Amino acid sequence: MDQVTNHWEVPALPPRVIMDLRTDCNLKCPMCIVHGDPNNPLLKDFLRRDMPVDKAANLLDDLIDAQPMIMPSLWSEPLLSRKFREHARAIKERGFTLAMNTNGLLLRDDLAAFFVEIEVDAVSISIDATTKETLMKVRGIDKLEKLHKAVDTMLTARGDKQLPRIGVSFTEQAENEHERAEFIQRWAHKVDFVRVGELFVDGGFPNVKVEGPRKPCPALYSTMAIHANGNTSYCCLDGFGETNVGNVFEQGVSAVWNGEELNKVRYYHETGQWDKVPFCKNCERWASYGFEEFIEDGMLIRRSPEYTYYNDLKRLENWSGGLLGTHKDPQESLEELAVGD
């Protein structure tokens, strides 16, 4: 096809970058599309890849002008990276926002102190249950006390300091939906935020209800998903890197972000040609960039079709997100991507 022209504005560099420091995990959660099935043939020659520190540093240098938010993992556990502290320091030394998700099993006192020292912006610990029995079903472990201890360790290390912003997450599914309300009640005023998300399975979010006509996915204009080897997917949900649009180590960030391959995907979205982007065809993620906010029970609640955030009103000073506005248009919501949670 001839060179495409995008109608939605594409920033010169991505406002958010998700970079997989190491493709590995110490859990085999049944809900995980990458690590949940050890017999998946796609895992061959894919696991235990590390992102080289020097190449990661070059990548970060390419992003200086954008000052993006960096998330240090795709579908893996970031703390398994042998060079995690070097990567984290490099991100913060450049003034970038660093927000991360972890299963918390490797979180010790010294690491929590490190997060506070370098002022990691947000740490979210995945828990997903209120009982051991349910935890076993959704994450394949029964170490609920250990996960609770990880949260306590993080809160103790931070003390009265502003950062990191500390939260817990709950991915709702059939096995744990009966514990959602109890989970929110338990954590809502102990941590800074609680995140409840919908389950991604079979290429979409079956429990997400979407209203109105489909629009291009704002992630194509806001988020760059980079695997440990530098290959770039056009969506962070692509855990196995099947939608490669270029390699940032070889081509540089700008060349991939503004390249023909990614612009084709944007063009197909803008023109409603979903059949030409099979990975996106049945996905509802696009709707989740529109959200509403309201205050209830001492919390600022931000709700989109995919995620609901429960933010403790007493801990908003460490949050950089926009407050108390209803954002129905996903394109307008791009400005909200640099939130601490």
Side-chain angles (χ1 to χ4, degrees), residues 224-295:
M224 197 172 204
I226 303 172
H227 296 269
N229 62 357
N231 285 349
T232 302
S233 295
Y234 52 73
C235 180
C236 64
L237 297 173
D238 179 12
F240 289 103
E242 298 172 275
T243 64
N244 183 21
V245 293
N247 187 289
V248 294
F249 296 158
E250 298 170 2
Q251 300 165 250
V253 171
S254 180
V256 175
W257 178 250
N258 297 291
E260 186 70 11
E261 292 304 311
L262 191 49
N263 276 331
K264 281 183 188 177
V265 179
R266 294 176 179 128
Y267 175 78
Y268 292 143
H269 272 239
E270 291 172 6
T271 54
Q273 298 184 68
W274 313 115
D275 288 342
K276 293 187 178 180
V277 278
F279 189 87
C280 305
K281 185 176 180 179
N282 299 313
C283 183
E284 300 82 7
R285 166 64 64 85
W286 64 272
S288 291
Y289 288 78
F291 58 85
E292 61 179 357
E293 290 176 334
F294 54 95
I295 290 177

Side-chain angles (χ1 to χ4, degrees), residues 78-245:
L79 299 185
L80 284 174
S81 170
R82 301 183 187 93
K83 303 291 185 180
F84 176 81
R85 297 192 189 209
E86 292 179 51
H87 285 294
R89 282 194 185 278
I91 292 166
K92 291 303 300 179
E93 285 172 354
R94 288 164 175 79
F96 299 167
T97 297
L98 174 57
M100 59 177 289
N101 301 309
T102 174
N103 60 42
L105 294 176
L106 299 175
L107 189 58
R108 303 289 187 270
D109 291 345
D110 63 326
L111 191 54
F114 172 74
F115 289 160
V116 176
E117 173 199 342
I118 69 170
E119 295 189 333
V120 170
D121 295 86
V123 177
S124 178
I125 298 174
S126 304
I127 299 181
D128 297 303
T130 61
T131 63
K132 291 183 177 182
E133 293 76 15
T134 298
L135 185 64
M136 177 61 73
K137 292 177 182 178
V138 298
R139 301 191 72 81
I141 59 171
D142 62 359
K143 301 176 181 178
L144 191 60
E145 295 94 343
K146 192 168 185 177
L147 300 184
H148 290 181
K149 183 179 179 181
V151 178
D152 290 338
T153 296
M154 200 65 250
L155 289 169
T156 299
R158 186 187 65 184
D160 295 330
K161 294 185 172 62
Q162 291 291 315
L163 297 174
R165 185 165 172 78
I166 300 168
V168 295
S169 68
F170 182 97
T171 300
E172 186 170 358
Q173 50 208 281
E175 292 78 8
N176 69 357
E177 60 185 1
H178 63 287
E179 295 183 358
R180 172 178 173 149
E182 182 183 356
F183 185 90
I184 295 168
Q185 183 178 19
R186 186 194 195 288
W187 293 105
H189 295 294
K190 179 170 183 176
V191 294
D192 303 336
F193 68 93
V194 177
R195 182 180 71 229
V196 177
E198 297 293 342
L199 184 67
F200 176 73
V201 62
D202 296 329
F205 297 86
N207 293 324
V208 167
K209 308 304 179 186
V210 176
E211 298 179 358
R214 184 169 181 175
K215 296 183 179 181
C217 183
L220 294 170
Y221 308 81
S222 65
T223 304
M224 197 172 204
I226 303 172
H227 296 269
N229 62 357
N231 285 349
T232 302
S233 295
Y234 52 73
C235 180
C236 64
L237 297 173
D238 179 12
F240 289 103
E242 298 172 275
T243 64
N244 183 21
V245 293

